Amino acid sequence: MLEDERRALCAVGRRLAEAGLVTGASGNVSVRSGDLVAVTPGGMMLDRMRPQDCPVVTMDARLVEGDHAPSSETPMHLALYEETPAAAIVHTHSTYGAVVATTMTELPPIHYNTLLLGGVVKVAEYATYGTPELAANVRAAMAGGKRAALMANHGGVTIGRDLDEAFENARLLEWLCGVYVRAKTIGEPRILTDEQLAKVVERGLTPPEFPPV
């Protein structure tokens, strides 16, 4: 089941590890096809997965194929599929994302490319990983058309129309967090105003629209 999607999960897992967005068995990825979701297995390094290692679950979390248990963060993935029209989700433990998620309540718009993630990136309230509470907190942080969120003292999560887009959003989130953290070392970062961001939108920089569900 979902053979192409499971192969794609493995490819993205390798890219995440190569980009330094995950370490060891941290982080997880999923892709949705209709009422089924292929997700990375729990406790396995993302750059060492094989397609057959990736379980397939239904939208109500029932395992329908696979010998490995799905990621512990599967409830969060499923909650986001219910909340958004996303077709793919990437969750990372990237360095700068974790720094911002440990110290801030949101990532302010320090660069106009923040618009590509839906604007100000919220930091979801802390909850233990893999719990319904965390899933609910992240779902709330992603409401209103957001493409990314941070999780307090944890990491980041991004969505996309496909796995490539979700991966690129994860890279953008880490870049934005890195710019903010580095800027803080030499001064107080300038934050773009609503008016300045509106002028960027007028020039056509907006997130790509999700296809109709």
Side-chain angles (χ1 to χ4, degrees), residues 5-30 40-41 44-50 54 89-92 163-164 167:
E5 288 82 358
R6 291 156 101 177
R7 280 195 293 269
L9 285 180
C10 296
V12 167
R14 290 190 293 272
R15 293 171 68 190
L16 286 167
E18 291 167 359
L21 297 176
V22 298
T23 56
S26 69
N28 34 77
V29 187
S30 71
T40 51
M44 185 174 293
M45 294 186 179
L46 297 190
D47 57 349
R48 300 183 185 180
M49 299 182 303
R50 302 167 300 168
C54 299
I89 297 170
V90 168
H91 164 43
T92 67
L163 279 169
D164 283 339
F167 170 79

mmCIF file of all heavy atoms in Angstrom, residues 5-30 40-41 44-50 54 89-92 163-164 167:
data_model
loop_
_atom_site.group_PDB
_atom_site.id
_atom_site.type_symbol
_atom_site.label_atom_id
_atom_site.label_comp_id
_atom_site.label_asym_id
_atom_site.label_seq_id
_atom_site.Cartn_x
_atom_site.Cartn_y
_atom_site.Cartn_z
ATOM 1 N N GLU A 5 4.549 6.589 -1.984
ATOM 2 C CA GLU A 5 4.620 7.492 -0.834
ATOM 3 C C GLU A 5 5.650 7.011 0.187
ATOM 4 O O GLU A 5 6.385 7.831 0.774
ATOM 5 C CB GLU A 5 3.244 7.606 -0.169
ATOM 6 C CG GLU A 5 2.218 8.404 -0.946
ATOM 7 C CD GLU A 5 1.530 7.588 -2.046
ATOM 8 O OE1 GLU A 5 1.896 6.404 -2.226
ATOM 9 O OE2 GLU A 5 0.633 8.123 -2.708
ATOM 10 N N ARG A 6 5.750 5.710 0.400
ATOM 11 C CA ARG A 6 6.704 5.186 1.370
ATOM 12 C C ARG A 6 8.140 5.349 0.869
ATOM 13 O O ARG A 6 9.056 5.652 1.656
ATOM 14 C CB ARG A 6 6.393 3.724 1.672
ATOM 15 C CG ARG A 6 5.078 3.571 2.458
ATOM 16 C CD ARG A 6 4.460 2.213 2.281
ATOM 17 N NE ARG A 6 4.699 1.344 3.405
ATOM 18 C CZ ARG A 6 4.188 0.109 3.497
ATOM 19 N NH1 ARG A 6 3.409 -0.366 2.539
ATOM 20 N NH2 ARG A 6 4.454 -0.637 4.549
ATOM 21 N N ARG A 7 8.348 5.214 -0.417
ATOM 22 C CA ARG A 7 9.675 5.482 -0.979
ATOM 23 C C ARG A 7 10.029 6.958 -0.797
ATOM 24 O O ARG A 7 11.173 7.310 -0.484
ATOM 25 C CB ARG A 7 9.719 5.091 -2.454
ATOM 26 C CG ARG A 7 9.913 3.600 -2.696
ATOM 27 C CD ARG A 7 10.307 3.328 -4.140
ATOM 28 N NE ARG A 7 9.206 3.652 -5.045
ATOM 29 C CZ ARG A 7 8.269 2.779 -5.427
ATOM 30 N NH1 ARG A 7 8.316 1.536 -4.968
ATOM 31 N NH2 ARG A 7 7.319 3.138 -6.258
ATOM 32 N N ALA A 8 9.041 7.819 -1.012
ATOM 33 C CA ALA A 8 9.277 9.256 -0.868
ATOM 34 C C ALA A 8 9.607 9.624 0.567
ATOM 35 O O ALA A 8 10.443 10.514 0.819
ATOM 36 C CB ALA A 8 8.053 10.040 -1.351
ATOM 37 N N LEU A 9 8.990 8.946 1.539
ATOM 38 C CA LEU A 9 9.326 9.192 2.945
ATOM 39 C C LEU A 9 10.801 8.911 3.205
ATOM 40 O O LEU A 9 11.476 9.678 3.909
ATOM 41 C CB LEU A 9 8.471 8.317 3.859
ATOM 42 C CG LEU A 9 7.001 8.693 4.067
ATOM 43 C CD1 LEU A 9 6.347 7.693 5.008
ATOM 44 C CD2 LEU A 9 6.858 10.104 4.603
ATOM 45 N N CYS A 10 11.294 7.822 2.658
ATOM 46 C CA CYS A 10 12.701 7.461 2.860
ATOM 47 C C CYS A 10 13.628 8.502 2.242
ATOM 48 O O CYS A 10 14.651 8.872 2.832
ATOM 49 C CB CYS A 10 12.985 6.085 2.266
ATOM 50 S SG CYS A 10 12.078 4.739 3.066
ATOM 51 N N ALA A 11 13.266 8.992 1.054
ATOM 52 C CA ALA A 11 14.090 10.009 0.390
ATOM 53 C C ALA A 11 14.127 11.291 1.212
ATOM 54 O O ALA A 11 15.194 11.901 1.393
ATOM 55 C CB ALA A 11 13.547 10.286 -1.010
ATOM 56 N N VAL A 12 12.986 11.709 1.734
ATOM 57 C CA VAL A 12 12.940 12.927 2.539
ATOM 58 C C VAL A 12 13.667 12.715 3.864
ATOM 59 O O VAL A 12 14.333 13.633 4.366
ATOM 60 C CB VAL A 12 11.491 13.377 2.763
ATOM 61 C CG1 VAL A 12 11.397 14.450 3.838
ATOM 62 C CG2 VAL A 12 10.905 13.907 1.467
ATOM 63 N N GLY A 13 13.561 11.520 4.435
ATOM 64 C CA GLY A 13 14.299 11.240 5.655
ATOM 65 C C GLY A 13 15.791 11.428 5.475
ATOM 66 O O GLY A 13 16.467 12.004 6.340
ATOM 67 N N ARG A 14 16.318 10.970 4.346
ATOM 68 C CA ARG A 14 17.746 11.151 4.066
ATOM 69 C C ARG A 14 18.082 12.633 3.899
ATOM 70 O O ARG A 14 19.115 13.116 4.390
ATOM 71 C CB ARG A 14 18.143 10.363 2.819
ATOM 72 C CG ARG A 14 18.120 8.845 3.018
ATOM 73 C CD ARG A 14 18.747 8.126 1.842
ATOM 74 N NE ARG A 14 17.960 8.267 0.621
ATOM 75 C CZ ARG A 14 16.969 7.440 0.263
ATOM 76 N NH1 ARG A 14 16.642 6.425 1.049
ATOM 77 N NH2 ARG A 14 16.320 7.618 -0.867
ATOM 78 N N ARG A 15 17.212 13.367 3.208
ATOM 79 C CA ARG A 15 17.457 14.796 3.001
ATOM 80 C C ARG A 15 17.435 15.561 4.322
ATOM 81 O O ARG A 15 18.241 16.477 4.522
ATOM 82 C CB ARG A 15 16.414 15.361 2.037
ATOM 83 C CG ARG A 15 16.533 14.822 0.617
ATOM 84 C CD ARG A 15 15.340 15.242 -0.229
ATOM 85 N NE ARG A 15 15.325 16.673 -0.485
ATOM 86 C CZ ARG A 15 14.281 17.310 -1.033
ATOM 87 N NH1 ARG A 15 13.181 16.636 -1.343
ATOM 88 N NH2 ARG A 15 14.343 18.603 -1.248
ATOM 89 N N LEU A 16 16.539 15.200 5.212
ATOM 90 C CA LEU A 16 16.471 15.863 6.514
ATOM 91 C C LEU A 16 17.746 15.630 7.316
ATOM 92 O O LEU A 16 18.269 16.549 7.948
ATOM 93 C CB LEU A 16 15.253 15.357 7.297
ATOM 94 C CG LEU A 16 13.896 15.859 6.826
ATOM 95 C CD1 LEU A 16 12.773 15.048 7.475
ATOM 96 C CD2 LEU A 16 13.719 17.346 7.129
ATOM 97 N N ALA A 17 18.238 14.386 7.285
ATOM 98 C CA ALA A 17 19.468 14.079 8.008
ATOM 99 C C ALA A 17 20.660 14.818 7.390
ATOM 100 O O ALA A 17 21.486 15.385 8.106
ATOM 101 C CB ALA A 17 19.710 12.572 8.009
ATOM 102 N N GLU A 18 20.736 14.828 6.072
ATOM 103 C CA GLU A 18 21.841 15.511 5.385
ATOM 104 C C GLU A 18 21.824 17.008 5.652
ATOM 105 O O GLU A 18 22.881 17.648 5.734
ATOM 106 C CB GLU A 18 21.765 15.233 3.883
ATOM 107 C CG GLU A 18 22.082 13.789 3.507
ATOM 108 C CD GLU A 18 21.700 13.455 2.077
ATOM 109 O OE1 GLU A 18 21.171 14.363 1.380
ATOM 110 O OE2 GLU A 18 21.902 12.310 1.659
ATOM 111 N N ALA A 19 20.625 17.579 5.787
ATOM 112 C CA ALA A 19 20.500 19.017 6.030
ATOM 113 C C ALA A 19 20.694 19.375 7.502
ATOM 114 O O ALA A 19 20.686 20.559 7.863
ATOM 115 C CB ALA A 19 19.124 19.509 5.565
ATOM 116 N N GLY A 20 20.860 18.368 8.359
ATOM 117 C CA GLY A 20 21.056 18.620 9.779
ATOM 118 C C GLY A 20 19.796 19.028 10.512
ATOM 119 O O GLY A 20 19.866 19.576 11.612
ATOM 120 N N LEU A 21 18.648 18.725 9.945
ATOM 121 C CA LEU A 21 17.374 19.089 10.571
ATOM 122 C C LEU A 21 16.899 18.038 11.562
ATOM 123 O O LEU A 21 15.983 18.297 12.348
ATOM 124 C CB LEU A 21 16.310 19.330 9.501
ATOM 125 C CG LEU A 21 16.588 20.497 8.552
ATOM 126 C CD1 LEU A 21 15.512 20.581 7.483
ATOM 127 C CD2 LEU A 21 16.694 21.805 9.306
ATOM 128 N N VAL A 22 17.477 16.853 11.508
ATOM 129 C CA VAL A 22 17.181 15.796 12.478
ATOM 130 C C VAL A 22 18.486 15.113 12.848
ATOM 131 O O VAL A 22 19.456 15.139 12.087
ATOM 132 C CB VAL A 22 16.190 14.741 11.926
ATOM 133 C CG1 VAL A 22 14.849 15.367 11.590
ATOM 134 C CG2 VAL A 22 16.765 14.041 10.695
ATOM 135 N N THR A 23 18.520 14.492 14.018
ATOM 136 C CA THR A 23 19.661 13.699 14.439
ATOM 137 C C THR A 23 19.157 12.375 14.994
ATOM 138 O O THR A 23 18.128 12.336 15.679
ATOM 139 C CB THR A 23 20.486 14.410 15.524
ATOM 140 O OG1 THR A 23 19.639 14.729 16.639
ATOM 141 C CG2 THR A 23 21.105 15.686 14.992
ATOM 142 N N GLY A 24 19.866 11.319 14.676
ATOM 143 C CA GLY A 24 19.473 10.004 15.176
ATOM 144 C C GLY A 24 18.067 9.650 14.743
ATOM 145 O O GLY A 24 17.691 9.783 13.579
ATOM 146 N N ALA A 25 17.264 9.205 15.703
ATOM 147 C CA ALA A 25 15.891 8.800 15.412
ATOM 148 C C ALA A 25 14.893 9.911 15.711
ATOM 149 O O ALA A 25 13.690 9.671 15.784
ATOM 150 C CB ALA A 25 15.534 7.550 16.219
ATOM 151 N N SER A 26 15.386 11.141 15.882
ATOM 152 C CA SER A 26 14.483 12.248 16.179
ATOM 153 C C SER A 26 13.765 12.707 14.922
ATOM 154 O O SER A 26 14.245 12.513 13.811
ATOM 155 C CB SER A 26 15.261 13.424 16.776
ATOM 156 O OG SER A 26 16.093 14.016 15.791
ATOM 157 N N GLY A 27 12.596 13.322 15.108
ATOM 158 C CA GLY A 27 11.837 13.822 13.972
ATOM 159 C C GLY A 27 11.022 12.734 13.305
ATOM 160 O O GLY A 27 11.258 11.536 13.510
ATOM 161 N N ASN A 28 10.063 13.150 12.511
ATOM 162 C CA ASN A 28 9.209 12.207 11.800
ATOM 163 C C ASN A 28 8.540 12.904 10.632
ATOM 164 O O ASN A 28 8.464 14.135 10.577
ATOM 165 C CB ASN A 28 8.167 11.581 12.746
ATOM 166 C CG ASN A 28 7.696 12.530 13.811
ATOM 167 O OD1 ASN A 28 6.891 13.418 13.569
ATOM 168 N ND2 ASN A 28 8.241 12.378 15.020
ATOM 169 N N VAL A 29 8.067 12.095 9.693
ATOM 170 C CA VAL A 29 7.516 12.599 8.439
ATOM 171 C C VAL A 29 6.301 11.761 8.075
ATOM 172 O O VAL A 29 6.253 10.557 8.386
ATOM 173 C CB VAL A 29 8.558 12.511 7.295
ATOM 174 C CG1 VAL A 29 8.057 13.194 6.038
ATOM 175 C CG2 VAL A 29 9.900 13.089 7.720
ATOM 176 N N SER A 30 5.335 12.375 7.412
ATOM 177 C CA SER A 30 4.185 11.605 6.924
ATOM 178 C C SER A 30 3.691 12.198 5.623
ATOM 179 O O SER A 30 3.973 13.349 5.282
ATOM 180 C CB SER A 30 3.051 11.597 7.965
ATOM 181 O OG SER A 30 2.448 12.879 8.065
ATOM 182 N N THR A 40 6.623 7.712 9.105
ATOM 183 C CA THR A 40 7.888 7.085 9.480
ATOM 184 C C THR A 40 7.700 6.257 10.759
ATOM 185 O O THR A 40 6.879 6.589 11.608
ATOM 186 C CB THR A 40 8.977 8.146 9.697
ATOM 187 O OG1 THR A 40 8.493 9.157 10.584
ATOM 188 C CG2 THR A 40 9.354 8.787 8.378
ATOM 189 N N PRO A 41 8.462 5.179 10.906
ATOM 190 C CA PRO A 41 8.315 4.320 12.086
ATOM 191 C C PRO A 41 8.954 4.944 13.312
ATOM 192 O O PRO A 41 9.873 5.763 13.210
ATOM 193 C CB PRO A 41 9.052 3.042 11.676
ATOM 194 C CG PRO A 41 10.080 3.508 10.697
ATOM 195 C CD PRO A 41 9.449 4.651 9.950
ATOM 196 N N MET A 44 13.392 4.764 14.666
ATOM 197 C CA MET A 44 14.293 4.381 13.585
ATOM 198 C C MET A 44 14.924 5.631 12.984
ATOM 199 O O MET A 44 14.251 6.645 12.787
ATOM 200 C CB MET A 44 13.541 3.611 12.501
ATOM 201 C CG MET A 44 14.435 3.069 11.399
ATOM 202 S SD MET A 44 13.537 2.019 10.207
ATOM 203 C CE MET A 44 13.125 0.616 11.249
ATOM 204 N N MET A 45 16.212 5.576 12.707
ATOM 205 C CA MET A 45 16.897 6.707 12.089
ATOM 206 C C MET A 45 16.324 6.969 10.708
ATOM 207 O O MET A 45 16.182 6.047 9.896
ATOM 208 C CB MET A 45 18.402 6.440 12.006
ATOM 209 C CG MET A 45 19.068 6.369 13.361
ATOM 210 S SD MET A 45 20.861 6.223 13.253
ATOM 211 C CE MET A 45 21.290 6.183 15.003
ATOM 212 N N LEU A 46 16.019 8.233 10.444
ATOM 213 C CA LEU A 46 15.315 8.562 9.207
ATOM 214 C C LEU A 46 16.142 8.324 7.955
ATOM 215 O O LEU A 46 15.579 8.116 6.876
ATOM 216 C CB LEU A 46 14.850 10.029 9.245
ATOM 217 C CG LEU A 46 13.843 10.405 10.328
ATOM 218 C CD1 LEU A 46 13.311 11.809 10.080
ATOM 219 C CD2 LEU A 46 12.694 9.420 10.394
ATOM 220 N N ASP A 47 17.462 8.343 8.079
ATOM 221 C CA ASP A 47 18.289 8.123 6.890
ATOM 222 C C ASP A 47 18.612 6.647 6.675
ATOM 223 O O ASP A 47 19.377 6.312 5.769
ATOM 224 C CB ASP A 47 19.574 8.941 6.964
ATOM 225 C CG ASP A 47 20.404 8.648 8.202
ATOM 226 O OD1 ASP A 47 19.901 7.961 9.117
ATOM 227 O OD2 ASP A 47 21.563 9.107 8.258
ATOM 228 N N ARG A 48 18.018 5.762 7.486
ATOM 229 C CA ARG A 48 18.269 4.333 7.326
ATOM 230 C C ARG A 48 16.990 3.546 7.062
ATOM 231 O O ARG A 48 16.999 2.317 7.062
ATOM 232 C CB ARG A 48 18.971 3.784 8.576
ATOM 233 C CG ARG A 48 20.304 4.457 8.861
ATOM 234 C CD ARG A 48 21.018 3.862 10.047
ATOM 235 N NE ARG A 48 22.230 4.617 10.366
ATOM 236 C CZ ARG A 48 23.058 4.324 11.358
ATOM 237 N NH1 ARG A 48 22.801 3.266 12.131
ATOM 238 N NH2 ARG A 48 24.124 5.073 11.594
ATOM 239 N N MET A 49 15.901 4.239 6.839
ATOM 240 C CA MET A 49 14.618 3.563 6.601
ATOM 241 C C MET A 49 14.571 2.943 5.214
ATOM 242 O O MET A 49 15.177 3.427 4.263
ATOM 243 C CB MET A 49 13.456 4.561 6.720
ATOM 244 C CG MET A 49 13.301 5.228 8.050
ATOM 245 S SD MET A 49 11.851 6.319 8.063
ATOM 246 C CE MET A 49 12.220 7.432 6.696
ATOM 247 N N ARG A 50 13.812 1.861 5.123
ATOM 248 C CA ARG A 50 13.439 1.278 3.839
ATOM 249 C C ARG A 50 11.931 1.490 3.665
ATOM 250 O O ARG A 50 11.210 1.651 4.660
ATOM 251 C CB ARG A 50 13.762 -0.207 3.806
ATOM 252 C CG ARG A 50 15.231 -0.550 4.052
ATOM 253 C CD ARG A 50 15.385 -2.034 4.317
ATOM 254 N NE ARG A 50 14.605 -2.432 5.489
ATOM 255 C CZ ARG A 50 14.352 -3.699 5.828
ATOM 256 N NH1 ARG A 50 14.808 -4.681 5.083
ATOM 257 N NH2 ARG A 50 13.641 -3.965 6.908
ATOM 258 N N CYS A 54 8.055 1.705 6.723
ATOM 259 C CA CYS A 54 7.117 2.794 6.997
ATOM 260 C C CYS A 54 5.693 2.258 7.082
ATOM 261 O O CYS A 54 5.150 1.758 6.093
ATOM 262 C CB CYS A 54 7.208 3.861 5.919
ATOM 263 S SG CYS A 54 8.844 4.628 5.800
ATOM 264 N N ILE A 89 3.615 16.271 5.995
ATOM 265 C CA ILE A 89 4.023 16.930 7.236
ATOM 266 C C ILE A 89 5.443 16.504 7.583
ATOM 267 O O ILE A 89 5.791 15.322 7.469
ATOM 268 C CB ILE A 89 3.083 16.563 8.396
ATOM 269 C CG1 ILE A 89 1.659 17.057 8.104
ATOM 270 C CG2 ILE A 89 3.582 17.136 9.721
ATOM 271 C CD1 ILE A 89 0.620 16.535 9.087
ATOM 272 N N VAL A 90 6.253 17.471 8.012
ATOM 273 C CA VAL A 90 7.619 17.214 8.446
ATOM 274 C C VAL A 90 7.796 17.778 9.851
ATOM 275 O O VAL A 90 7.478 18.948 10.110
ATOM 276 C CB VAL A 90 8.639 17.870 7.493
ATOM 277 C CG1 VAL A 90 10.040 17.844 8.101
ATOM 278 C CG2 VAL A 90 8.641 17.167 6.140
ATOM 279 N N HIS A 91 8.296 16.952 10.762
ATOM 280 C CA HIS A 91 8.584 17.391 12.133
ATOM 281 C C HIS A 91 10.075 17.211 12.379
ATOM 282 O O HIS A 91 10.630 16.130 12.185
ATOM 283 C CB HIS A 91 7.781 16.553 13.136
ATOM 284 C CG HIS A 91 8.276 16.650 14.541
ATOM 285 N ND1 HIS A 91 8.660 17.835 15.126
ATOM 286 C CD2 HIS A 91 8.471 15.689 15.494
ATOM 287 C CE1 HIS A 91 9.049 17.607 16.369
ATOM 288 N NE2 HIS A 91 8.953 16.313 16.609
ATOM 289 N N THR A 92 10.735 18.302 12.780
ATOM 290 C CA THR A 92 12.183 18.286 12.974
ATOM 291 C C THR A 92 12.558 18.648 14.404
ATOM 292 O O THR A 92 11.763 19.210 15.150
ATOM 293 C CB THR A 92 12.872 19.285 12.031
ATOM 294 O OG1 THR A 92 12.498 20.617 12.411
ATOM 295 C CG2 THR A 92 12.477 19.027 10.584
ATOM 296 N N LEU A 163 5.533 16.300 -0.155
ATOM 297 C CA LEU A 163 6.680 16.142 0.739
ATOM 298 C C LEU A 163 7.793 17.131 0.433
ATOM 299 O O LEU A 163 8.451 17.635 1.349
ATOM 300 C CB LEU A 163 7.210 14.714 0.658
ATOM 301 C CG LEU A 163 6.460 13.672 1.486
ATOM 302 C CD1 LEU A 163 6.912 12.260 1.108
ATOM 303 C CD2 LEU A 163 6.669 13.916 2.978
ATOM 304 N N ASP A 164 8.022 17.421 -0.848
ATOM 305 C CA ASP A 164 9.063 18.378 -1.193
ATOM 306 C C ASP A 164 8.771 19.743 -0.582
ATOM 307 O O ASP A 164 9.668 20.398 -0.049
ATOM 308 C CB ASP A 164 9.194 18.502 -2.715
ATOM 309 C CG ASP A 164 9.943 17.343 -3.338
ATOM 310 O OD1 ASP A 164 10.689 16.661 -2.606
ATOM 311 O OD2 ASP A 164 9.783 17.112 -4.546
ATOM 312 N N PHE A 167 9.236 19.711 3.187
ATOM 313 C CA PHE A 167 10.670 19.726 3.482
ATOM 314 C C PHE A 167 11.248 21.122 3.305
ATOM 315 O O PHE A 167 12.000 21.614 4.165
ATOM 316 C CB PHE A 167 11.400 18.738 2.571
ATOM 317 C CG PHE A 167 12.899 18.844 2.633
ATOM 318 C CD1 PHE A 167 13.610 18.278 3.676
ATOM 319 C CD2 PHE A 167 13.598 19.521 1.646
ATOM 320 C CE1 PHE A 167 14.988 18.381 3.742
ATOM 321 C CE2 PHE A 167 14.979 19.637 1.704
ATOM 322 C CZ PHE A 167 15.678 19.069 2.744
#
